């Protein structure tokens, strides 16, 4: 899951949990912590021999938290996969086209617009996906050719699954 603390975005994944002992991956670095959560929203955290107490106040349907710890307050937002996808899509409009189109979230393939060998232009849709009853077109950001189509209409796919591979045009220098 992706979380936002102030202006910082972090990818956070639970690696393992055994009782109070938790391994958490934050942006590729794994942390071993001991966490005890109490019903009133407070928690006790042990990390590298140091003890921390925190209080979490939940609002906005569990997507926004105010965390009070060490005399500081942090605003934390849990970003769902759709919000992450939309942010990446907005950012990606000016970025270089990758050699593959990946699923931005678990979804269903509604429509495939291309076949291997097709020449496609910047902005052309490649596939339409559906997640959470919303449909989105995945398009290319620069001219290229379809190398392979790895999915069919009606397929259910996982996040980051390759959907289509592309042959990018070589830039002449």
């Amino acid at each position: 899951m992706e979380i936002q603390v102030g202006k910082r975005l972090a990818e956070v994944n639970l690696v393992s949990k055994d009782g109070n002992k938790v391994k958490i991956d934050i942006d590729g670095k794994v942390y071993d912590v001991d966490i005890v959560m109490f019903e009133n929203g407070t928690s006790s955290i042990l990390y590298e021999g140091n003890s921390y107490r925190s209080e979490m106040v939940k609002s906005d349907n569990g997507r926004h938290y105010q965390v009070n710890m060490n005399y500081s307050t942090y605003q934390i937002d849990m970003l769902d996969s759709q919000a992450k996808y939309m942010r990446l899509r907005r950012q990606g409009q000016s970025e270089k086209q990758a050699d593959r189109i990946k699923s931005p979230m678990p979804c269903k393939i509604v429509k495939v617009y291309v076949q291997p060998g097709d020449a496609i232009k910047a902005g052309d849709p490649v596939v339409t996906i559906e997640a959470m009853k919303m449909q989105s077109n995945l398009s290319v950001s620069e001219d290229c050719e379809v190398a392979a189509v790895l999915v069919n209409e009606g397929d259910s796919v996982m996040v980051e699954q390759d959907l289509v591979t592309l042959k990018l045009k070589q830039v002449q220098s």
Side-chain angles (χ1 to χ4, degrees):
M1 122 178 55
E2 193 173 53
I3 66 168
Q4 183 170 358
V5 181
K7 293 186 178 189
R8 181 177 186 267
L9 287 174
E11 186 69 32
V12 179
N13 293 298
L14 177 65
V15 175
S16 66
K17 182 178 184 312
D18 183 15
N20 295 333
K21 302 220 183 290
V22 177
K23 282 188 184 213
I24 301 172
D25 179 317
I26 302 174
D27 288 337
K29 184 175 178 185
V30 177
Y31 297 87
D32 290 308
V33 295
D34 191 310
I35 301 175
V36 177
M37 302 288 291
F38 302 103
E39 288 184 21
N40 64 358
T42 61
S43 62
S44 174
I45 303 166
L46 291 173
Y47 173 66
E48 292 187 338
N50 296 310
S51 178
Y52 304 91
R53 291 196 61 76
S54 70
E55 174 191 37
M56 293 178 63
V57 180
K58 178 169 61 170
S59 63
D60 193 25
N61 295 326
R63 299 228 177 263
H64 179 78
Y65 292 84
Q66 176 179 304
V67 177
N68 302 311
M69 189 166 95
N70 297 339
Y71 304 106
S72 295
T73 299
Y74 304 92
Q75 302 299 324
I76 298 177
D77 292 300
M78 307 292 182
L79 303 179
D80 62 18
S81 56
Q82 182 118 14
K84 179 180 177 181
Y85 165 66
M86 294 308 289
R87 180 181 52 75
L88 291 173
R89 186 171 174 182
R90 281 190 302 275
Q91 288 176 344
Q93 289 175 349
S94 62
E95 291 181 10
K96 183 167 172 35
Q97 176 66 52
D99 68 347
R100 60 196 67 238
I101 304 292
K102 293 179 175 262
S103 174
M105 65 188 79
C107 59
K108 180 179 177 183
I109 303 299
V110 175
K111 178 84 175 148
V112 177
Y113 297 98
V114 296
Q115 297 177 1
D118 286 356
I120 50 180
K121 300 216 177 279
D124 284 351
V126 177
V127 297
T128 298
I129 61 170
E130 181 177 290
M132 299 181 288
K133 298 186 181 183
M134 291 182 59
Q135 292 188 1
S136 299
N137 286 332
L138 302 182
S139 305
V140 293
S141 61
E142 59 187 62
D143 296 356
C144 52
E145 182 181 322
V146 177
V149 176
L150 307 171
V151 293
N152 296 305
E153 292 177 9
D155 286 355
S156 292
V157 297
M158 302 303 294
V159 66
E160 294 294 313
Q161 181 174 332
D162 290 346
L163 308 178
V164 175
T165 56
L166 305 168
K167 291 180 189 171
L168 303 177
K169 295 195 175 191
Q170 300 299 320
V171 177
Q172 302 293 328
S173 8

